[in-house]
Amino acid sequence: MQGCRKNKDQFVATPFALKIPAGFPTPVLFQNNELTVEGFQLGRRLFYDTRLSIDGSIACASCHQQIAGFGTYDHDLSHGIGGEHGIRNASPLFNLAWANTFGWDGRYTKLQDVFAAHITNRIEMGETLNGVVTKLKGASVYPPLFKAAFGSEEINQEKLLNALAQFAGSLVSAETKYDSVKQNLASFTANEQAGYTVFKNKCNTCHAEPLFTDYSYRNIGLPANLILNDKGRMSFTNNRNDSLKFRVPTLRNLYKTFPFMHDGRLIAFSQIFDHYQTGVQASFTLDPLLNNGIALSNSDKTVLLDFLKTLTDNSFTKNSAYNAPQ
């Protein structure tokens, strides 16, 4: 991919400095896709463009809504063309620059591949990459934007996917009360502090700070949905030891990203607590940490919810830099 160059006779794009929050590790995403302002803005427009679907009805933003942390809040399973439903809940899109694999089952090693898969999925967007490229070539708004981002008005699959990856990979959420406390700019209430203690004792192994996920894939004992027949990570590894294993999701913005779990089956925090206390289903791939469930008192639940609220980033869901372009 072309990047920023110093030679005045060659293409020059504007470097985009990815915001790295205090305490976060070094991001890994943009090693082979140089981040630029122009690439980000092109990806932003593409993200909201229904031309990416075969019938012009679905954009990436249709399921990944900013108000829900670029996840979905109004239905359990992702919706696609013709009113069809997928088999999984649309994951929130933020802090992806720190991930090495993507998707509920981790089958994608590049963010570009995620977009390619969803664009070409028969149920979701139902298009071909060539079909999208053809439509973009015929839209007067795009050739200048591709030229600004990549130095040429040529539109192709690689540039399309790189631009989308630049936008989604640049979505950073870390302006929460929790982050302010960690930076000594605020203090937890007594309940929030108590909830933080419960979190560290009961949840932190998998939902590791500061990203609140360890990016691992685990079977947490959810009974298999016999209608969806989703085998989790096993669905692409074909390894029975991966049966019913799904990515550990981040707990950041949890209050904005319900319904919960890979298939959106749980809609209330009380259901999550009930699952971990009494609903864990034994199987040979069950995570050993859950062999005895997770014991939580009523007091634990109350203060834990108060702590989880401190992981809400209202500035992220209202950030105009991420809005649909006018």
Side-chain angles (χ1 to χ4, degrees), residues 139-153:
S140 61
V141 67
Y142 277 111
L145 292 176
F146 273 84
K147 183 175 182 179
F150 301 113
S152 165
E153 290 191 350

mmCIF file with all atom_site columns, all heavy atoms in Angstrom, residues 139-153:
data_model
loop_
_atom_site.group_PDB
_atom_site.id
_atom_site.type_symbol
_atom_site.label_atom_id
_atom_site.label_alt_id
_atom_site.label_comp_id
_atom_site.label_asym_id
_atom_site.label_entity_id
_atom_site.label_seq_id
_atom_site.pdbx_PDB_ins_code
_atom_site.Cartn_x
_atom_site.Cartn_y
_atom_site.Cartn_z
_atom_site.occupancy
_atom_site.B_iso_or_equiv
_atom_site.pdbx_formal_charge
_atom_site.auth_seq_id
_atom_site.auth_comp_id
_atom_site.auth_asym_id
_atom_site.auth_atom_id
_atom_site.pdbx_PDB_model_num
ATOM 1   N N   . ALA A 1 139 ? -19.552 6.163  -8.869  1.00 0.00 ? 139 ALA A N   1
ATOM 2   C CA  . ALA A 1 139 ? -20.003 7.214  -7.953  1.00 0.00 ? 139 ALA A CA  1
ATOM 3   C C   . ALA A 1 139 ? -18.988 8.346  -7.961  1.00 0.00 ? 139 ALA A C   1
ATOM 4   O O   . ALA A 1 139 ? -17.829 8.147  -7.588  1.00 0.00 ? 139 ALA A O   1
ATOM 5   C CB  . ALA A 1 139 ? -20.173 6.646  -6.549  1.00 0.00 ? 139 ALA A CB  1
ATOM 6   N N   . SER A 1 140 ? -19.404 9.530  -8.372  1.00 0.00 ? 140 SER A N   1
ATOM 7   C CA  . SER A 1 140 ? -18.461 10.634 -8.581  1.00 0.00 ? 140 SER A CA  1
ATOM 8   C C   . SER A 1 140 ? -17.701 11.025 -7.321  1.00 0.00 ? 140 SER A C   1
ATOM 9   O O   . SER A 1 140 ? -16.591 11.563 -7.396  1.00 0.00 ? 140 SER A O   1
ATOM 10  C CB  . SER A 1 140 ? -19.203 11.853 -9.132  1.00 0.00 ? 140 SER A CB  1
ATOM 11  O OG  . SER A 1 140 ? -20.208 12.292 -8.214  1.00 0.00 ? 140 SER A OG  1
ATOM 12  N N   . VAL A 1 141 ? -18.269 10.733 -6.145  1.00 0.00 ? 141 VAL A N   1
ATOM 13  C CA  . VAL A 1 141 ? -17.634 11.144 -4.904  1.00 0.00 ? 141 VAL A CA  1
ATOM 14  C C   . VAL A 1 141 ? -16.357 10.349 -4.619  1.00 0.00 ? 141 VAL A C   1
ATOM 15  O O   . VAL A 1 141 ? -15.439 10.862 -3.949  1.00 0.00 ? 141 VAL A O   1
ATOM 16  C CB  . VAL A 1 141 ? -18.618 10.996 -3.718  1.00 0.00 ? 141 VAL A CB  1
ATOM 17  C CG1 . VAL A 1 141 ? -18.946 9.532  -3.464  1.00 0.00 ? 141 VAL A CG1 1
ATOM 18  C CG2 . VAL A 1 141 ? -18.058 11.635 -2.463  1.00 0.00 ? 141 VAL A CG2 1
ATOM 19  N N   . TYR A 1 142 ? -16.241 9.133  -5.155  1.00 0.00 ? 142 TYR A N   1
ATOM 20  C CA  . TYR A 1 142 ? -15.165 8.262  -4.702  1.00 0.00 ? 142 TYR A CA  1
ATOM 21  C C   . TYR A 1 142 ? -13.800 8.406  -5.382  1.00 0.00 ? 142 TYR A C   1
ATOM 22  O O   . TYR A 1 142 ? -12.768 8.340  -4.689  1.00 0.00 ? 142 TYR A O   1
ATOM 23  C CB  . TYR A 1 142 ? -15.622 6.801  -4.737  1.00 0.00 ? 142 TYR A CB  1
ATOM 24  C CG  . TYR A 1 142 ? -16.409 6.435  -3.498  1.00 0.00 ? 142 TYR A CG  1
ATOM 25  C CD1 . TYR A 1 142 ? -17.769 6.180  -3.563  1.00 0.00 ? 142 TYR A CD1 1
ATOM 26  C CD2 . TYR A 1 142 ? -15.793 6.373  -2.252  1.00 0.00 ? 142 TYR A CD2 1
ATOM 27  C CE1 . TYR A 1 142 ? -18.504 5.859  -2.421  1.00 0.00 ? 142 TYR A CE1 1
ATOM 28  C CE2 . TYR A 1 142 ? -16.509 6.067  -1.108  1.00 0.00 ? 142 TYR A CE2 1
ATOM 29  C CZ  . TYR A 1 142 ? -17.862 5.813  -1.193  1.00 0.00 ? 142 TYR A CZ  1
ATOM 30  O OH  . TYR A 1 142 ? -18.569 5.515  -0.060  1.00 0.00 ? 142 TYR A OH  1
ATOM 31  N N   . PRO A 1 143 ? -13.704 8.561  -6.704  1.00 0.00 ? 143 PRO A N   1
ATOM 32  C CA  . PRO A 1 143 ? -12.354 8.676  -7.291  1.00 0.00 ? 143 PRO A CA  1
ATOM 33  C C   . PRO A 1 143 ? -11.470 9.736  -6.628  1.00 0.00 ? 143 PRO A C   1
ATOM 34  O O   . PRO A 1 143 ? -10.297 9.448  -6.325  1.00 0.00 ? 143 PRO A O   1
ATOM 35  C CB  . PRO A 1 143 ? -12.652 8.981  -8.759  1.00 0.00 ? 143 PRO A CB  1
ATOM 36  C CG  . PRO A 1 143 ? -13.951 8.277  -9.011  1.00 0.00 ? 143 PRO A CG  1
ATOM 37  C CD  . PRO A 1 143 ? -14.744 8.488  -7.753  1.00 0.00 ? 143 PRO A CD  1
ATOM 38  N N   . PRO A 1 144 ? -11.975 10.953 -6.337  1.00 0.00 ? 144 PRO A N   1
ATOM 39  C CA  . PRO A 1 144 ? -11.120 11.923 -5.654  1.00 0.00 ? 144 PRO A CA  1
ATOM 40  C C   . PRO A 1 144 ? -10.707 11.471 -4.251  1.00 0.00 ? 144 PRO A C   1
ATOM 41  O O   . PRO A 1 144 ? -9.590  11.765 -3.800  1.00 0.00 ? 144 PRO A O   1
ATOM 42  C CB  . PRO A 1 144 ? -11.996 13.182 -5.587  1.00 0.00 ? 144 PRO A CB  1
ATOM 43  C CG  . PRO A 1 144 ? -13.003 13.018 -6.661  1.00 0.00 ? 144 PRO A CG  1
ATOM 44  C CD  . PRO A 1 144 ? -13.274 11.549 -6.725  1.00 0.00 ? 144 PRO A CD  1
ATOM 45  N N   . LEU A 1 145 ? -11.598 10.769 -3.558  1.00 0.00 ? 145 LEU A N   1
ATOM 46  C CA  . LEU A 1 145 ? -11.271 10.309 -2.210  1.00 0.00 ? 145 LEU A CA  1
ATOM 47  C C   . LEU A 1 145 ? -10.208 9.213  -2.243  1.00 0.00 ? 145 LEU A C   1
ATOM 48  O O   . LEU A 1 145 ? -9.312  9.171  -1.387  1.00 0.00 ? 145 LEU A O   1
ATOM 49  C CB  . LEU A 1 145 ? -12.530 9.799  -1.507  1.00 0.00 ? 145 LEU A CB  1
ATOM 50  C CG  . LEU A 1 145 ? -13.579 10.859 -1.168  1.00 0.00 ? 145 LEU A CG  1
ATOM 51  C CD1 . LEU A 1 145 ? -14.820 10.208 -0.568  1.00 0.00 ? 145 LEU A CD1 1
ATOM 52  C CD2 . LEU A 1 145 ? -13.010 11.902 -0.214  1.00 0.00 ? 145 LEU A CD2 1
ATOM 53  N N   . PHE A 1 146 ? -10.299 8.316  -3.220  1.00 0.00 ? 146 PHE A N   1
ATOM 54  C CA  . PHE A 1 146 ? -9.270  7.290  -3.364  1.00 0.00 ? 146 PHE A CA  1
ATOM 55  C C   . PHE A 1 146 ? -7.930  7.920  -3.756  1.00 0.00 ? 146 PHE A C   1
ATOM 56  O O   . PHE A 1 146 ? -6.870  7.485  -3.295  1.00 0.00 ? 146 PHE A O   1
ATOM 57  C CB  . PHE A 1 146 ? -9.704  6.238  -4.386  1.00 0.00 ? 146 PHE A CB  1
ATOM 58  C CG  . PHE A 1 146 ? -10.528 5.137  -3.798  1.00 0.00 ? 146 PHE A CG  1
ATOM 59  C CD1 . PHE A 1 146 ? -11.904 5.296  -3.630  1.00 0.00 ? 146 PHE A CD1 1
ATOM 60  C CD2 . PHE A 1 146 ? -9.952  3.946  -3.391  1.00 0.00 ? 146 PHE A CD2 1
ATOM 61  C CE1 . PHE A 1 146 ? -12.672 4.285  -3.082  1.00 0.00 ? 146 PHE A CE1 1
ATOM 62  C CE2 . PHE A 1 146 ? -10.720 2.920  -2.836  1.00 0.00 ? 146 PHE A CE2 1
ATOM 63  C CZ  . PHE A 1 146 ? -12.087 3.097  -2.677  1.00 0.00 ? 146 PHE A CZ  1
ATOM 64  N N   . LYS A 1 147 ? -7.986  8.954  -4.593  1.00 0.00 ? 147 LYS A N   1
ATOM 65  C CA  . LYS A 1 147 ? -6.745  9.635  -4.966  1.00 0.00 ? 147 LYS A CA  1
ATOM 66  C C   . LYS A 1 147 ? -6.109  10.307 -3.760  1.00 0.00 ? 147 LYS A C   1
ATOM 67  O O   . LYS A 1 147 ? -4.884  10.247 -3.563  1.00 0.00 ? 147 LYS A O   1
ATOM 68  C CB  . LYS A 1 147 ? -7.022  10.673 -6.056  1.00 0.00 ? 147 LYS A CB  1
ATOM 69  C CG  . LYS A 1 147 ? -5.745  11.373 -6.535  1.00 0.00 ? 147 LYS A CG  1
ATOM 70  C CD  . LYS A 1 147 ? -6.027  12.308 -7.699  1.00 0.00 ? 147 LYS A CD  1
ATOM 71  C CE  . LYS A 1 147 ? -4.733  12.958 -8.193  1.00 0.00 ? 147 LYS A CE  1
ATOM 72  N NZ  . LYS A 1 147 ? -4.978  13.866 -9.343  1.00 0.00 ? 147 LYS A NZ  1
ATOM 73  N N   . ALA A 1 148 ? -6.924  10.948 -2.926  1.00 0.00 ? 148 ALA A N   1
ATOM 74  C CA  . ALA A 1 148 ? -6.390  11.604 -1.731  1.00 0.00 ? 148 ALA A CA  1
ATOM 75  C C   . ALA A 1 148 ? -5.779  10.596 -0.768  1.00 0.00 ? 148 ALA A C   1
ATOM 76  O O   . ALA A 1 148 ? -4.768  10.878 -0.114  1.00 0.00 ? 148 ALA A O   1
ATOM 77  C CB  . ALA A 1 148 ? -7.506  12.382 -1.032  1.00 0.00 ? 148 ALA A CB  1
ATOM 78  N N   . ALA A 1 149 ? -6.371  9.406  -0.694  1.00 0.00 ? 149 ALA A N   1
ATOM 79  C CA  . ALA A 1 149 ? -5.897  8.405  0.259   1.00 0.00 ? 149 ALA A CA  1
ATOM 80  C C   . ALA A 1 149 ? -4.726  7.586  -0.260  1.00 0.00 ? 149 ALA A C   1
ATOM 81  O O   . ALA A 1 149 ? -3.815  7.229  0.499   1.00 0.00 ? 149 ALA A O   1
ATOM 82  C CB  . ALA A 1 149 ? -7.042  7.470  0.631   1.00 0.00 ? 149 ALA A CB  1
ATOM 83  N N   . PHE A 1 150 ? -4.731  7.308  -1.587  1.00 0.00 ? 150 PHE A N   1
ATOM 84  C CA  . PHE A 1 150 ? -3.754  6.360  -2.129  1.00 0.00 ? 150 PHE A CA  1
ATOM 85  C C   . PHE A 1 150 ? -2.953  6.890  -3.306  1.00 0.00 ? 150 PHE A C   1
ATOM 86  O O   . PHE A 1 150 ? -2.140  6.162  -3.871  1.00 0.00 ? 150 PHE A O   1
ATOM 87  C CB  . PHE A 1 150 ? -4.465  5.066  -2.534  1.00 0.00 ? 150 PHE A CB  1
ATOM 88  C CG  . PHE A 1 150 ? -5.181  4.392  -1.397  1.00 0.00 ? 150 PHE A CG  1
ATOM 89  C CD1 . PHE A 1 150 ? -6.565  4.312  -1.389  1.00 0.00 ? 150 PHE A CD1 1
ATOM 90  C CD2 . PHE A 1 150 ? -4.474  3.860  -0.338  1.00 0.00 ? 150 PHE A CD2 1
ATOM 91  C CE1 . PHE A 1 150 ? -7.230  3.694  -0.338  1.00 0.00 ? 150 PHE A CE1 1
ATOM 92  C CE2 . PHE A 1 150 ? -5.132  3.237  0.713   1.00 0.00 ? 150 PHE A CE2 1
ATOM 93  C CZ  . PHE A 1 150 ? -6.512  3.154  0.723   1.00 0.00 ? 150 PHE A CZ  1
ATOM 94  N N   . GLY A 1 151 ? -3.192  8.155  -3.706  1.00 0.00 ? 151 GLY A N   1
ATOM 95  C CA  . GLY A 1 151 ? -2.376  8.754  -4.754  1.00 0.00 ? 151 GLY A CA  1
ATOM 96  C C   . GLY A 1 151 ? -2.846  8.525  -6.163  1.00 0.00 ? 151 GLY A C   1
ATOM 97  O O   . GLY A 1 151 ? -2.212  8.963  -7.116  1.00 0.00 ? 151 GLY A O   1
ATOM 98  N N   . SER A 1 152 ? -3.962  7.814  -6.324  1.00 0.00 ? 152 SER A N   1
ATOM 99  C CA  . SER A 1 152 ? -4.485  7.527  -7.657  1.00 0.00 ? 152 SER A CA  1
ATOM 100 C C   . SER A 1 152 ? -5.993  7.359  -7.551  1.00 0.00 ? 152 SER A C   1
ATOM 101 O O   . SER A 1 152 ? -6.512  6.884  -6.534  1.00 0.00 ? 152 SER A O   1
ATOM 102 C CB  . SER A 1 152 ? -3.862  6.251  -8.223  1.00 0.00 ? 152 SER A CB  1
ATOM 103 O OG  . SER A 1 152 ? -4.581  5.776  -9.345  1.00 0.00 ? 152 SER A OG  1
ATOM 104 N N   . GLU A 1 153 ? -6.706  7.751  -8.618  1.00 0.00 ? 153 GLU A N   1
ATOM 105 C CA  . GLU A 1 153 ? -8.153  7.572  -8.634  1.00 0.00 ? 153 GLU A CA  1
ATOM 106 C C   . GLU A 1 153 ? -8.555  6.117  -8.874  1.00 0.00 ? 153 GLU A C   1
ATOM 107 O O   . GLU A 1 153 ? -9.739  5.780  -8.806  1.00 0.00 ? 153 GLU A O   1
ATOM 108 C CB  . GLU A 1 153 ? -8.789  8.460  -9.707  1.00 0.00 ? 153 GLU A CB  1
ATOM 109 C CG  . GLU A 1 153 ? -8.729  9.942  -9.362  1.00 0.00 ? 153 GLU A CG  1
ATOM 110 C CD  . GLU A 1 153 ? -9.582  10.788 -10.285 1.00 0.00 ? 153 GLU A CD  1
ATOM 111 O OE1 . GLU A 1 153 ? -10.073 10.245 -11.299 1.00 0.00 ? 153 GLU A OE1 1
ATOM 112 O OE2 . GLU A 1 153 ? -9.765  11.987 -10.004 1.00 0.00 ? 153 GLU A OE2 1
#
